[in-house]
Structures are given as structure tokens and as C-alpha cells.
PDB file of all heavy atoms in Angstrom:
ATOM      1  N   THR A  17       0.500  75.543  37.680  1.00 98.00           N
ATOM      2  CA  THR A  17       0.428  76.792  38.441  1.00 98.00           C
ATOM      3  C   THR A  17       1.850  77.311  38.642  1.00 98.00           C
ATOM      4  O   THR A  17       2.838  76.590  38.404  1.00 98.00           O
ATOM      5  CB  THR A  17      -0.216  76.557  39.813  1.00 98.00           C
ATOM      6  OG1 THR A  17       0.634  75.686  40.585  1.00 98.00           O
ATOM      7  CG2 THR A  17      -1.594  75.929  39.673  1.00 98.00           C
ATOM      8  N   ALA A  18       1.963  78.526  39.123  1.00 98.00           N
ATOM      9  CA  ALA A  18       3.278  79.118  39.379  1.00 98.00           C
ATOM     10  C   ALA A  18       4.040  78.288  40.413  1.00 98.00           C
ATOM     11  O   ALA A  18       5.245  78.041  40.260  1.00 98.00           O
ATOM     12  CB  ALA A  18       3.126  80.556  39.867  1.00 98.00           C
ATOM     13  N   ALA A  19       3.337  77.842  41.453  1.00 98.00           N
ATOM     14  CA  ALA A  19       3.986  77.057  42.511  1.00 98.00           C
ATOM     15  C   ALA A  19       4.477  75.716  41.963  1.00 98.00           C
ATOM     16  O   ALA A  19       5.572  75.257  42.303  1.00 98.00           O
ATOM     17  CB  ALA A  19       3.009  76.827  43.670  1.00 98.00           C
ATOM     18  N   GLN A  20       3.666  75.084  41.129  1.00 98.00           N
ATOM     19  CA  GLN A  20       4.059  73.797  40.544  1.00 98.00           C
ATOM     20  C   GLN A  20       5.252  73.963  39.598  1.00 98.00           C
ATOM     21  O   GLN A  20       6.152  73.118  39.567  1.00 98.00           O
ATOM     22  CB  GLN A  20       2.860  73.194  39.784  1.00 98.00           C
ATOM     23  CG  GLN A  20       1.743  72.705  40.681  1.00 98.00           C
ATOM     24  CD  GLN A  20       0.498  72.306  39.885  1.00 98.00           C
ATOM     25  OE1 GLN A  20       0.206  72.877  38.824  1.00 98.00           O
ATOM     26  NE2 GLN A  20      -0.244  71.326  40.401  1.00 98.00           N
ATOM     27  N   THR A  21       5.248  75.042  38.837  1.00 98.00           N
ATOM     28  CA  THR A  21       6.367  75.314  37.923  1.00 98.00           C
ATOM     29  C   THR A  21       7.657  75.492  38.704  1.00 98.00           C
ATOM     30  O   THR A  21       8.701  74.902  38.356  1.00 98.00           O
ATOM     31  CB  THR A  21       6.082  76.590  37.100  1.00 98.00           C
ATOM     32  OG1 THR A  21       4.921  76.381  36.296  1.00 98.00           O
ATOM     33  CG2 THR A  21       7.270  76.947  36.216  1.00 98.00           C
ATOM     34  N   ARG A  22       7.593  76.289  39.754  1.00 98.00           N
ATOM     35  CA  ARG A  22       8.775  76.530  40.581  1.00 98.00           C
ATOM     36  C   ARG A  22       9.286  75.226  41.190  1.00 98.00           C
ATOM     37  O   ARG A  22      10.487  74.973  41.234  1.00 98.00           O
ATOM     38  CB  ARG A  22       8.426  77.544  41.672  1.00 98.00           C
ATOM     39  CG  ARG A  22       9.614  78.070  42.456  1.00 98.00           C
ATOM     40  CD  ARG A  22       9.137  79.135  43.439  1.00 98.00           C
ATOM     41  NE  ARG A  22       8.594  80.299  42.754  1.00 98.00           N
ATOM     42  CZ  ARG A  22       9.317  81.340  42.370  1.00 98.00           C
ATOM     43  NH1 ARG A  22      10.627  81.346  42.626  1.00 98.00           N
ATOM     44  NH2 ARG A  22       8.763  82.356  41.761  1.00 98.00           N
ATOM     45  N   GLU A  23       8.363  74.388  41.645  1.00 98.00           N
ATOM     46  CA  GLU A  23       8.753  73.115  42.256  1.00 98.00           C
ATOM     47  C   GLU A  23       9.422  72.194  41.237  1.00 98.00           C
ATOM     48  O   GLU A  23      10.438  71.547  41.537  1.00 98.00           O
ATOM     49  CB  GLU A  23       7.522  72.413  42.845  1.00 98.00           C
ATOM     50  CG  GLU A  23       7.863  71.094  43.540  1.00 98.00           C
ATOM     51  CD  GLU A  23       6.635  70.353  44.029  1.00 98.00           C
ATOM     52  OE1 GLU A  23       5.503  70.711  43.613  1.00 98.00           O
ATOM     53  OE2 GLU A  23       6.792  69.400  44.815  1.00 98.00           O
ATOM     54  N   GLN A  24       8.881  72.132  40.020  1.00 98.00           N
ATOM     55  CA  GLN A  24       9.452  71.281  38.965  1.00 98.00           C
ATOM     56  C   GLN A  24      10.907  71.681  38.670  1.00 98.00           C
ATOM     57  O   GLN A  24      11.781  70.824  38.529  1.00 98.00           O
ATOM     58  CB  GLN A  24       8.626  71.405  37.686  1.00 98.00           C
ATOM     59  CG  GLN A  24       7.305  70.656  37.691  1.00 98.00           C
ATOM     60  CD  GLN A  24       7.468  69.169  37.410  1.00 98.00           C
ATOM     61  OE1 GLN A  24       8.380  68.738  36.705  1.00 98.00           O
ATOM     62  NE2 GLN A  24       6.575  68.369  37.986  1.00 98.00           N
ATOM     63  N   ILE A  25      11.142  72.983  38.599  1.00 98.00           N
ATOM     64  CA  ILE A  25      12.481  73.469  38.254  1.00 98.00           C
ATOM     65  C   ILE A  25      13.448  73.306  39.425  1.00 98.00           C
ATOM     66  O   ILE A  25      14.562  72.777  39.255  1.00 98.00           O
ATOM     67  CB  ILE A  25      12.419  74.949  37.801  1.00 98.00           C
ATOM     68  CG1 ILE A  25      11.593  75.072  36.514  1.00 98.00           C
ATOM     69  CG2 ILE A  25      13.830  75.503  37.576  1.00 98.00           C
ATOM     70  CD1 ILE A  25      11.338  76.507  36.068  1.00 98.00           C
ATOM     71  N   LEU A  26      13.035  73.747  40.613  1.00 98.00           N
ATOM     72  CA  LEU A  26      13.925  73.693  41.785  1.00 98.00           C
ATOM     73  C   LEU A  26      14.276  72.260  42.175  1.00 98.00           C
ATOM     74  O   LEU A  26      15.434  71.949  42.482  1.00 98.00           O
ATOM     75  CB  LEU A  26      13.275  74.412  42.970  1.00 98.00           C
ATOM     76  CG  LEU A  26      13.343  75.934  42.960  1.00 98.00           C
ATOM     77  CD1 LEU A  26      12.548  76.506  44.135  1.00 98.00           C
ATOM     78  CD2 LEU A  26      14.793  76.399  43.025  1.00 98.00           C
ATOM     79  N   LYS A  27      13.271  71.392  42.162  1.00 98.00           N
ATOM     80  CA  LYS A  27      13.493  69.995  42.547  1.00 98.00           C
ATOM     81  C   LYS A  27      14.507  69.340  41.606  1.00 98.00           C
ATOM     82  O   LYS A  27      15.409  68.612  42.047  1.00 98.00           O
ATOM     83  CB  LYS A  27      12.164  69.232  42.527  1.00 98.00           C
ATOM     84  CG  LYS A  27      12.219  67.847  43.167  1.00 98.00           C
ATOM     85  CD  LYS A  27      10.811  67.250  43.238  1.00 98.00           C
ATOM     86  CE  LYS A  27      10.824  65.886  43.912  1.00 98.00           C
ATOM     87  NZ  LYS A  27       9.450  65.309  43.986  1.00 98.00           N
ATOM     88  N   THR A  28      14.373  69.622  40.320  1.00 98.00           N
ATOM     89  CA  THR A  28      15.301  69.049  39.332  1.00 98.00           C
ATOM     90  C   THR A  28      16.707  69.622  39.497  1.00 98.00           C
ATOM     91  O   THR A  28      17.697  68.881  39.438  1.00 98.00           O
ATOM     92  CB  THR A  28      14.772  69.308  37.906  1.00 98.00           C
ATOM     93  OG1 THR A  28      13.479  68.716  37.785  1.00 98.00           O
ATOM     94  CG2 THR A  28      15.704  68.722  36.865  1.00 98.00           C
ATOM     95  N   ASN A  29      16.800  70.927  39.713  1.00 98.00           N
ATOM     96  CA  ASN A  29      18.109  71.539  39.944  1.00 98.00           C
ATOM     97  C   ASN A  29      18.833  70.887  41.111  1.00 98.00           C
ATOM     98  O   ASN A  29      20.032  70.587  41.040  1.00 98.00           O
ATOM     99  CB  ASN A  29      17.965  73.044  40.212  1.00 98.00           C
ATOM    100  CG  ASN A  29      17.902  73.859  38.949  1.00 98.00           C
ATOM    101  OD1 ASN A  29      18.046  73.335  37.849  1.00 98.00           O
ATOM    102  ND2 ASN A  29      17.691  75.154  39.089  1.00 98.00           N
ATOM    103  N   ASN A  30      18.107  70.680  42.199  1.00 98.00           N
ATOM    104  CA  ASN A  30      18.709  70.097  43.399  1.00 98.00           C
ATOM    105  C   ASN A  30      19.191  68.674  43.152  1.00 98.00           C
ATOM    106  O   ASN A  30      20.269  68.277  43.605  1.00 98.00           O
ATOM    107  CB  ASN A  30      17.704  70.117  44.561  1.00 98.00           C
ATOM    108  CG  ASN A  30      17.405  71.530  45.039  1.00 98.00           C
ATOM    109  OD1 ASN A  30      18.226  72.441  44.854  1.00 98.00           O
ATOM    110  ND2 ASN A  30      16.246  71.731  45.652  1.00 98.00           N
ATOM    111  N   ILE A  31      18.385  67.893  42.438  1.00 98.00           N
ATOM    112  CA  ILE A  31      18.751  66.498  42.162  1.00 98.00           C
ATOM    113  C   ILE A  31      19.960  66.439  41.230  1.00 98.00           C
ATOM    114  O   ILE A  31      20.883  65.642  41.444  1.00 98.00           O
ATOM    115  CB  ILE A  31      17.546  65.734  41.558  1.00 98.00           C
ATOM    116  CG1 ILE A  31      16.476  65.540  42.632  1.00 98.00           C
ATOM    117  CG2 ILE A  31      17.985  64.378  40.991  1.00 98.00           C
ATOM    118  CD1 ILE A  31      15.190  64.933  42.119  1.00 98.00           C
ATOM    119  N   ILE A  32      19.964  67.280  40.191  1.00 98.00           N
ATOM    120  CA  ILE A  32      21.094  67.291  39.253  1.00 98.00           C
ATOM    121  C   ILE A  32      22.375  67.721  39.967  1.00 98.00           C
ATOM    122  O   ILE A  32      23.442  67.124  39.766  1.00 98.00           O
ATOM    123  CB  ILE A  32      20.799  68.228  38.060  1.00 98.00           C
ATOM    124  CG1 ILE A  32      19.725  67.622  37.160  1.00 98.00           C
ATOM    125  CG2 ILE A  32      22.075  68.489  37.239  1.00 98.00           C
ATOM    126  CD1 ILE A  32      19.284  68.518  36.014  1.00 98.00           C
ATOM    127  N   GLU A  33      22.281  68.747  40.802  1.00 98.00           N
ATOM    128  CA  GLU A  33      23.473  69.223  41.515  1.00 98.00           C
ATOM    129  C   GLU A  33      23.986  68.177  42.495  1.00 98.00           C
ATOM    130  O   GLU A  33      25.200  67.980  42.636  1.00 98.00           O
ATOM    131  CB  GLU A  33      23.160  70.524  42.252  1.00 98.00           C
ATOM    132  CG  GLU A  33      24.396  71.181  42.835  1.00 98.00           C
ATOM    133  CD  GLU A  33      24.124  72.579  43.360  1.00 98.00           C
ATOM    134  OE1 GLU A  33      22.944  72.989  43.441  1.00 98.00           O
ATOM    135  OE2 GLU A  33      25.112  73.271  43.699  1.00 98.00           O
ATOM    136  N   ALA A  34      23.062  67.459  43.158  1.00 98.00           N
ATOM    137  CA  ALA A  34      23.474  66.413  44.106  1.00 98.00           C
ATOM    138  C   ALA A  34      24.159  65.255  43.382  1.00 98.00           C
ATOM    139  O   ALA A  34      25.124  64.673  43.887  1.00 98.00           O
ATOM    140  CB  ALA A  34      22.245  65.902  44.858  1.00 98.00           C
ATOM    141  N   ALA A  35      23.699  64.937  42.173  1.00 98.00           N
ATOM    142  CA  ALA A  35      24.247  63.797  41.430  1.00 98.00           C
ATOM    143  C   ALA A  35      25.532  64.142  40.689  1.00 98.00           C
ATOM    144  O   ALA A  35      26.439  63.307  40.575  1.00 98.00           O
ATOM    145  CB  ALA A  35      23.209  63.270  40.438  1.00 98.00           C
ATOM    146  N   THR A  36      25.628  65.362  40.178  1.00 98.00           N
ATOM    147  CA  THR A  36      26.751  65.698  39.293  1.00 98.00           C
ATOM    148  C   THR A  36      27.674  66.798  39.816  1.00 98.00           C
ATOM    149  O   THR A  36      28.778  66.984  39.308  1.00 98.00           O
ATOM    150  CB  THR A  36      26.221  66.169  37.917  1.00 98.00           C
ATOM    151  OG1 THR A  36      25.553  67.436  38.082  1.00 98.00           O
ATOM    152  CG2 THR A  36      25.243  65.162  37.335  1.00 98.00           C
ATOM    153  N   GLY A  37      27.199  67.558  40.795  1.00 97.00           N
ATOM    154  CA  GLY A  37      27.991  68.690  41.278  1.00 97.00           C
ATOM    155  C   GLY A  37      27.804  69.942  40.448  1.00 97.00           C
ATOM    156  O   GLY A  37      28.377  70.989  40.736  1.00 97.00           O
ATOM    157  N   GLU A  38      26.977  69.855  39.390  1.00 97.00           N
ATOM    158  CA  GLU A  38      26.731  70.986  38.501  1.00 97.00           C
ATOM    159  C   GLU A  38      25.341  71.573  38.742  1.00 97.00           C
ATOM    160  O   GLU A  38      24.364  70.834  38.857  1.00 97.00           O
ATOM    161  CB  GLU A  38      26.843  70.546  37.034  1.00 97.00           C
ATOM    162  CG  GLU A  38      28.218  70.034  36.630  1.00 97.00           C
ATOM    163  CD  GLU A  38      29.267  71.132  36.636  1.00 97.00           C
ATOM    164  OE1 GLU A  38      28.939  72.253  36.195  1.00 97.00           O
ATOM    165  OE2 GLU A  38      30.397  70.882  37.090  1.00 97.00           O
ATOM    166  N   LYS A  39      25.273  72.905  38.809  1.00 96.00           N
ATOM    167  CA  LYS A  39      23.984  73.572  38.967  1.00 96.00           C
ATOM    168  C   LYS A  39      23.535  74.097  37.613  1.00 96.00           C
ATOM    169  O   LYS A  39      24.192  74.972  37.029  1.00 96.00           O
ATOM    170  CB  LYS A  39      24.098  74.723  39.966  1.00 96.00           C
ATOM    171  CG  LYS A  39      22.764  75.379  40.281  1.00 96.00           C
ATOM    172  CD  LYS A  39      22.918  76.441  41.360  1.00 96.00           C
ATOM    173  CE  LYS A  39      21.564  77.068  41.688  1.00 96.00           C
ATOM    174  NZ  LYS A  39      21.679  78.087  42.760  1.00 96.00           N
ATOM    175  N   PRO A  40      22.428  73.591  37.076  1.00 98.00           N
ATOM    176  CA  PRO A  40      21.977  74.017  35.740  1.00 98.00           C
ATOM    177  C   PRO A  40      21.638  75.510  35.673  1.00 98.00           C
ATOM    178  O   PRO A  40      21.124  76.081  36.645  1.00 98.00           O
ATOM    179  CB  PRO A  40      20.724  73.165  35.506  1.00 98.00           C
ATOM    180  CG  PRO A  40      20.880  71.990  36.418  1.00 98.00           C
ATOM    181  CD  PRO A  40      21.574  72.526  37.627  1.00 98.00           C
ATOM    182  N   VAL A  41      21.921  76.110  34.536  1.00 98.00           N
ATOM    183  CA  VAL A  41      21.565  77.519  34.299  1.00 98.00           C
ATOM    184  C   VAL A  41      20.606  77.646  33.119  1.00 98.00           C
ATOM    185  O   VAL A  41      20.126  78.727  32.827  1.00 98.00           O
ATOM    186  CB  VAL A  41      22.821  78.382  34.051  1.00 98.00           C
ATOM    187  CG1 VAL A  41      23.700  78.416  35.277  1.00 98.00           C
ATOM    188  CG2 VAL A  41      23.610  77.870  32.845  1.00 98.00           C
ATOM    189  N   TRP A  42      20.331  76.516  32.448  1.00 98.00           N
ATOM    190  CA  TRP A  42      19.433  76.505  31.290  1.00 98.00           C
ATOM    191  C   TRP A  42      18.245  75.598  31.574  1.00 98.00           C
ATOM    192  O   TRP A  42      18.393  74.513  32.137  1.00 98.00           O
ATOM    193  CB  TRP A  42      20.157  76.013  30.039  1.00 98.00           C
ATOM    194  CG  TRP A  42      21.414  76.756  29.730  1.00 98.00           C
ATOM    195  CD1 TRP A  42      22.693  76.347  29.936  1.00 98.00           C
ATOM    196  CD2 TRP A  42      21.518  78.072  29.162  1.00 98.00           C
ATOM    197  NE1 TRP A  42      23.586  77.303  29.539  1.00 98.00           N
ATOM    198  CE2 TRP A  42      22.899  78.377  29.054  1.00 98.00           C
ATOM    199  CE3 TRP A  42      20.582  79.017  28.727  1.00 98.00           C
ATOM    200  CZ2 TRP A  42      23.357  79.594  28.539  1.00 98.00           C
ATOM    201  CZ3 TRP A  42      21.043  80.216  28.213  1.00 98.00           C
ATOM    202  CH2 TRP A  42      22.412  80.488  28.122  1.00 98.00           C
ATOM    203  N   PHE A  43      17.066  76.019  31.147  1.00 98.00           N
ATOM    204  CA  PHE A  43      15.840  75.249  31.334  1.00 98.00           C
ATOM    205  C   PHE A  43      15.186  74.993  29.985  1.00 98.00           C
ATOM    206  O   PHE A  43      14.999  75.915  29.188  1.00 98.00           O
ATOM    207  CB  PHE A  43      14.873  76.009  32.249  1.00 98.00           C
ATOM    208  CG  PHE A  43      13.501  75.399  32.330  1.00 98.00           C
ATOM    209  CD1 PHE A  43      13.323  74.108  32.825  1.00 98.00           C
ATOM    210  CD2 PHE A  43      12.377  76.106  31.904  1.00 98.00           C
ATOM    211  CE1 PHE A  43      12.054  73.534  32.892  1.00 98.00           C
ATOM    212  CE2 PHE A  43      11.106  75.548  31.978  1.00 98.00           C
ATOM    213  CZ  PHE A  43      10.954  74.258  32.476  1.00 98.00           C
ATOM    214  N   ALA A  44      14.871  73.719  29.715  1.00 98.00           N
ATOM    215  CA  ALA A  44      14.191  73.347  28.477  1.00 98.00           C
ATOM    216  C   ALA A  44      12.845  72.704  28.835  1.00 98.00           C
ATOM    217  O   ALA A  44      12.805  71.576  29.321  1.00 98.00           O
ATOM    218  CB  ALA A  44      15.036  72.359  27.677  1.00 98.00           C
ATOM    219  N   PRO A  45      11.733  73.399  28.636  1.00 98.00           N
ATOM    220  CA  PRO A  45      10.426  72.835  28.988  1.00 98.00           C
ATOM    221  C   PRO A  45      10.063  71.639  28.116  1.00 98.00           C
ATOM    222  O   PRO A  45      10.309  71.659  26.903  1.00 98.00           O
ATOM    223  CB  PRO A  45       9.468  74.011  28.743  1.00 98.00           C
ATOM    224  CG  PRO A  45      10.178  74.918  27.805  1.00 98.00           C
ATOM    225  CD  PRO A  45      11.630  74.761  28.082  1.00 98.00           C
ATOM    226  N   PRO A  46       9.524  70.580  28.706  1.00 97.00           N
ATOM    227  CA  PRO A  46       9.148  69.383  27.940  1.00 97.00           C
ATOM    228  C   PRO A  46       8.215  69.719  26.778  1.00 97.00           C
ATOM    229  O   PRO A  46       7.271  70.510  26.926  1.00 97.00           O
ATOM    230  CB  PRO A  46       8.438  68.509  28.980  1.00 97.00           C
ATOM    231  CG  PRO A  46       9.017  68.948  30.285  1.00 97.00           C
ATOM    232  CD  PRO A  46       9.258  70.419  30.143  1.00 97.00           C
ATOM    233  N   SER A  47       8.519  69.142  25.626  1.00 96.00           N
ATOM    234  CA  SER A  47       7.719  69.332  24.409  1.00 96.00           C
ATOM    235  C   SER A  47       7.644  70.788  23.972  1.00 96.00           C
ATOM    236  O   SER A  47       6.805  71.146  23.133  1.00 96.00           O
ATOM    237  CB  SER A  47       6.292  68.776  24.595  1.00 96.00           C
ATOM    238  OG  SER A  47       6.344  67.428  25.004  1.00 96.00           O
ATOM    239  N   GLY A  48       8.486  71.629  24.549  1.00 96.00           N
ATOM    240  CA  GLY A  48       8.484  73.044  24.182  1.00 96.00           C
ATOM    241  C   GLY A  48       7.243  73.785  24.636  1.00 96.00           C
ATOM    242  O   GLY A  48       6.909  74.851  24.121  1.00 96.00           O
ATOM    243  N   SER A  49       6.539  73.223  25.620  1.00 97.00           N
ATOM    244  CA  SER A  49       5.291  73.830  26.088  1.00 97.00           C
ATOM    245  C   SER A  49       5.565  74.784  27.260  1.00 97.00           C
ATOM    246  O   SER A  49       6.163  74.392  28.260  1.00 97.00           O
ATOM    247  CB  SER A  49       4.311  72.737  26.511  1.00 97.00           C
ATOM    248  OG  SER A  49       3.121  73.308  27.015  1.00 97.00           O
ATOM    249  N   TYR A  50       5.113  76.022  27.130  1.00 97.00           N
ATOM    250  CA  TYR A  50       5.306  77.005  28.198  1.00 97.00           C
ATOM    251  C   TYR A  50       4.314  78.151  28.010  1.00 97.00           C
ATOM    252  O   TYR A  50       3.661  78.268  26.974  1.00 97.00           O
ATOM    253  CB  TYR A  50       6.724  77.556  28.154  1.00 97.00           C
ATOM    254  CG  TYR A  50       7.018  78.411  26.933  1.00 97.00           C
ATOM    255  CD1 TYR A  50       6.769  79.784  26.930  1.00 97.00           C
ATOM    256  CD2 TYR A  50       7.519  77.845  25.757  1.00 97.00           C
ATOM    257  CE1 TYR A  50       7.013  80.565  25.811  1.00 97.00           C
ATOM    258  CE2 TYR A  50       7.765  78.613  24.633  1.00 97.00           C
ATOM    259  CZ  TYR A  50       7.509  79.975  24.667  1.00 97.00           C
ATOM    260  OH  TYR A  50       7.745  80.741  23.546  1.00 97.00           O
ATOM    261  N   ARG A  51       4.216  78.991  29.011  1.00 96.00           N
ATOM    262  CA  ARG A  51       3.532  80.278  28.875  1.00 96.00           C
ATOM    263  C   ARG A  51       4.463  81.346  29.441  1.00 96.00           C
ATOM    264  O   ARG A  51       5.509  81.014  30.018  1.00 96.00           O
ATOM    265  CB  ARG A  51       2.171  80.258  29.567  1.00 96.00           C
ATOM    266  CG  ARG A  51       2.184  80.075  31.066  1.00 96.00           C
ATOM    267  CD  ARG A  51       0.720  80.188  31.581  1.00 96.00           C
ATOM    268  NE  ARG A  51       0.663  80.222  33.028  1.00 96.00           N
ATOM    269  CZ  ARG A  51       0.588  79.155  33.805  1.00 96.00           C
ATOM    270  NH1 ARG A  51       0.607  77.937  33.241  1.00 96.00           N
ATOM    271  NH2 ARG A  51       0.520  79.275  35.108  1.00 96.00           N
ATOM    272  N   ASP A  52       4.114  82.594  29.292  1.00 97.00           N
ATOM    273  CA  ASP A  52       5.004  83.676  29.712  1.00 97.00           C
ATOM    274  C   ASP A  52       5.430  83.527  31.170  1.00 97.00           C
ATOM    275  O   ASP A  52       6.579  83.801  31.532  1.00 97.00           O
ATOM    276  CB  ASP A  52       4.324  85.030  29.511  1.00 97.00           C
ATOM    277  CG  ASP A  52       4.197  85.413  28.039  1.00 97.00           C
ATOM    278  OD1 ASP A  52       4.884  84.767  27.205  1.00 97.00           O
ATOM    279  OD2 ASP A  52       3.427  86.335  27.725  1.00 97.00           O
ATOM    280  N   GLU A  53       4.501  83.085  32.020  1.00 98.00           N
ATOM    281  CA  GLU A  53       4.813  82.941  33.446  1.00 98.00           C
ATOM    282  C   GLU A  53       5.909  81.896  33.671  1.00 98.00           C
ATOM    283  O   GLU A  53       6.740  82.039  34.558  1.00 98.00           O
ATOM    284  CB  GLU A  53       3.551  82.542  34.221  1.00 98.00           C
ATOM    285  CG  GLU A  53       3.756  82.557  35.733  1.00 98.00           C
ATOM    286  CD  GLU A  53       2.488  82.208  36.496  1.00 98.00           C
ATOM    287  OE1 GLU A  53       1.734  81.319  36.027  1.00 98.00           O
ATOM    288  OE2 GLU A  53       2.254  82.807  37.549  1.00 98.00           O
ATOM    289  N   THR A  54       5.936  80.857  32.821  1.00 98.00           N
ATOM    290  CA  THR A  54       6.972  79.818  32.930  1.00 98.00           C
ATOM    291  C   THR A  54       8.349  80.439  32.750  1.00 98.00           C
ATOM    292  O   THR A  54       9.286  80.174  33.518  1.00 98.00           O
ATOM    293  CB  THR A  54       6.766  78.736  31.845  1.00 98.00           C
ATOM    294  OG1 THR A  54       5.397  78.339  31.800  1.00 98.00           O
ATOM    295  CG2 THR A  54       7.667  77.529  32.120  1.00 98.00           C
ATOM    296  N   ILE A  55       8.489  81.283  31.733  1.00 98.00           N
ATOM    297  CA  ILE A  55       9.767  81.928  31.424  1.00 98.00           C
ATOM    298  C   ILE A  55      10.166  82.870  32.553  1.00 98.00           C
ATOM    299  O   ILE A  55      11.342  82.946  32.929  1.00 98.00           O
ATOM    300  CB  ILE A  55       9.672  82.711  30.089  1.00 98.00           C
ATOM    301  CG1 ILE A  55       9.045  81.857  28.986  1.00 98.00           C
ATOM    302  CG2 ILE A  55      11.047  83.218  29.680  1.00 98.00           C
ATOM    303  CD1 ILE A  55       9.781  80.605  28.664  1.00 98.00           C
ATOM    304  N   LYS A  56       9.190  83.593  33.094  1.00 98.00           N
ATOM    305  CA  LYS A  56       9.471  84.542  34.179  1.00 98.00           C
ATOM    306  C   LYS A  56       9.933  83.835  35.445  1.00 98.00           C
ATOM    307  O   LYS A  56      10.843  84.302  36.139  1.00 98.00           O
ATOM    308  CB  LYS A  56       8.229  85.387  34.468  1.00 98.00           C
ATOM    309  CG  LYS A  56       7.887  86.375  33.365  1.00 98.00           C
ATOM    310  CD  LYS A  56       6.604  87.140  33.679  1.00 98.00           C
ATOM    311  CE  LYS A  56       6.255  88.092  32.546  1.00 98.00           C
ATOM    312  NZ  LYS A  56       4.964  88.802  32.803  1.00 98.00           N
ATOM    313  N   ILE A  57       9.312  82.709  35.751  1.00 98.00           N
ATOM    314  CA  ILE A  57       9.701  81.965  36.955  1.00 98.00           C
ATOM    315  C   ILE A  57      11.116  81.423  36.803  1.00 98.00           C
ATOM    316  O   ILE A  57      11.928  81.496  37.735  1.00 98.00           O
ATOM    317  CB  ILE A  57       8.698  80.825  37.243  1.00 98.00           C
ATOM    318  CG1 ILE A  57       7.350  81.416  37.666  1.00 98.00           C
ATOM    319  CG2 ILE A  57       9.240  79.877  38.313  1.00 98.00           C
ATOM    320  CD1 ILE A  57       6.236  80.409  37.774  1.00 98.00           C
TER     321      ILE A  57
END
């Protein structure tokens, strides 16, 4: 769902930034699976 997609991305961004100090600007969906809403979010 849109909410789950947002949570997957935001949660990962926060963890990566906390561990490395870097905030990601690129998103690579697992297995290349996405729909238009994924890209928009």
C-alpha cells in the first residue's frame, strides 16, 4: 500500500543516516518490482 511503501523508504533512510551520516537520495526497489505509485511516493 502507499503507507507501507512510505514506511519502507523512510525507515531505511533514517537507519542509514543514523549509521553513516549520509541521507540517501536514490531508491532501488528490490528485484526491480514497482508500480507508478511507488515512483511517485
Side-chain angles (χ1 to χ4, degrees):
T17 64
Q20 289 172 329
T21 297
R22 190 176 296 271
E23 182 184 14
Q24 284 280 330
I25 296 173
L26 281 175
K27 191 173 182 180
T28 301
N29 275 355
N30 292 336
I31 290 174
I32 289 175
E33 189 170 9
T36 68
E38 298 292 320
K39 185 175 181 179
V41 296
W42 306 104
F43 171 62
S47 305
S49 178
Y50 68 88
R51 64 176 189 272
D52 289 345
E53 188 178 38
T54 313
I55 312 300
K56 290 177 182 177
I57 291 171

